[in-house]
Amino acid sequence: MQKIIFIGAGSMAEALIQGWIKKSVVNPKGLFISNRSNKERLQELVEAYGVNLMEDTSQLHDADLVILAMKPKDARAAMEVIAPHLGTDTAILSVLAGVSIDTMEQYLGSRPIARVMPNTSATIGMSASGIAFNQHVTKVQHALYIQMLEAVGTVIEVEEEKLHAVTALSGSGPAYLYYLVEAFENAGAEFGLSKEVVRELMVQTIAGSAEMLKSGNVEPQTLRKKVTSPGGTTEAGIKALESMSFNETIANCVRSAENRSRELARGE
């Protein structure tokens, strides 16, 4: 794709831009960015990555791909603005939570459309993404979408209905893990450990645990039990989590995020 235009310039747009440029997936000269009002933000991205500003909606006409990356609440207004200027062959890639393919087709017409839910780890090529396609996406386009997203992490094709769950799990997942590390830092401070020491310990612990999960077909429960000696320190910690309904807390977290994605789809 020779010309890609981002409509919206938030953290997800930057993560993809940075990841694609790092991996040499796209030429920054072929990337154009726009947003509704924050010109200072656009200038920051231009200076950081060597991308271009979209100066006028007429530039949309010959775009190969337009990426919808604005806030979901602004999506309908933005699509109304860009729709008259899209070329007949311009494809759409949406990273918006809750905005359905049907809605995009309603505003943007019958054209190739894909919905993807990546996360901000795309910045370092470690995103976990779910993607769904409409019937207008060709085999060549399908392969290209997958290739672009695999360049910034793992991508799994799912039914569009399942993207609400993907949003709640991997889309929002980094925030949950960062929140967990914050909690460990606060807990470590009670015992006189500095934030820096706790962070170094927990980042390596999380990374090592992730590698253990990736290294084979061993269930998380089995790995947990291998660490949990009867009567030991880990068992004491697990019992504390169980007493606070840890599993149900996580389930409520995911349910709430998944429900919010559905509310966004309904325009709420």
Side-chain angles (χ1 to χ4, degrees):
M1 291 187 177
Q2 300 300 310
K3 185 176 182 181
I4 299 173
I5 297 180
F6 281 83
I7 308 297
S11 58
M12 195 64 255
E14 182 173 11
L16 289 174
I17 290 168
Q18 185 173 346
W20 284 340
I21 291 174
K22 274 185 178 180
K23 296 285 188 176
S24 300
V25 173
V26 297
N27 187 328
K29 292 181 179 179
L31 289 178
F32 293 76
I33 57 172
S34 69
N35 64 15
R36 188 172 59 175
S37 58
N38 191 342
K39 303 307 177 188
E40 183 176 329
R41 167 65 174 167
L42 292 176
Q43 197 56 44
E44 288 175 1
L45 295 178
V46 168
E47 293 175 4
Y49 304 110
V51 296
N52 310 284
L53 290 178
M54 187 183 83
E55 304 284 358
D56 188 86
T57 52
S58 64
Q59 291 175 277
L60 290 161
H61 182 72
D62 62 346
D64 297 294
L65 179 66
V66 169
I67 299 177
L68 304 182
M70 72 290 290
K71 294 177 181 178
K73 67 181 181 65
D74 299 326
R76 287 164 175 78
M79 287 190 289
E80 287 178 343
V81 170
I82 69 172
H85 307 283
L86 294 174
T88 55
D89 297 326
T90 300
I92 302 294
L93 177 65
S94 169
V95 298
L96 306 179
V99 181
S100 70
I101 289 175
D102 281 347
T103 298
M104 287 184 273
E105 289 179 340
Q106 177 186 340
Y107 284 87
L108 303 177
S110 296
R111 62 179 66 248
I113 298 176
R115 275 187 66 192
V116 63
M117 182 46 57
N119 61 42
T120 51
S121 298
T123 301
I124 57 170
M126 294 288 286
S127 178
S129 306
I131 192 168
F133 303 92
N134 74 353
Q135 70 274 21
H136 301 295
V137 174
T138 67
K139 288 183 179 180
V140 171
Q141 290 169 327
H142 181 283
L144 188 55
Y145 280 125
I146 296 296
Q147 181 184 8
M148 292 175 72
L149 291 162
E150 284 181 340
V152 290
T154 298
V155 58
I156 298 172
E157 185 173 353
V158 297
E159 297 172 9
E160 185 184 10
E161 175 66 16
K162 300 297 191 295
L163 282 177
H164 296 297
V166 172
T167 299
L169 289 164
S170 59
S172 300
Y176 309 150
L177 289 173
Y178 301 146
Y179 198 25
L180 177 65
V181 173
E182 288 180 58
F184 278 125
E185 288 177 351
N186 292 333
E190 293 184 21
F191 304 100
L193 293 172
S194 70
K195 179 184 292 187
E196 291 73 23
V197 167
V198 176
R199 185 173 302 177
E200 185 171 353
L201 289 170
M202 296 318 302
V203 167
Q204 183 60 29
T205 298
I206 292 170
S209 301
E211 287 300 318
M212 289 289 286
L213 286 166
K214 288 172 64 178
S215 64
N217 295 320
V218 183
E219 291 295 314
Q221 183 183 62
T222 302
L223 291 172
R224 170 174 60 82
K225 287 182 176 179
K226 285 184 177 181
V227 183
T228 310
S229 302
T233 58
T234 306
E235 184 181 67
I238 292 291
K239 285 182 176 179
L241 291 174
E242 289 174 343
S243 72
M244 301 299 290
S245 302
F246 181 74
N247 282 339
E248 186 59 26
T249 298
I250 296 299
N252 283 335
C253 165
V254 175
R255 286 191 201 105
S256 296
E258 200 266 0
N259 184 60
R260 181 56 184 151
S261 178
R262 292 182 182 278
E263 288 175 347
L264 291 169
R266 296 191 297 267
E268 298 176 13

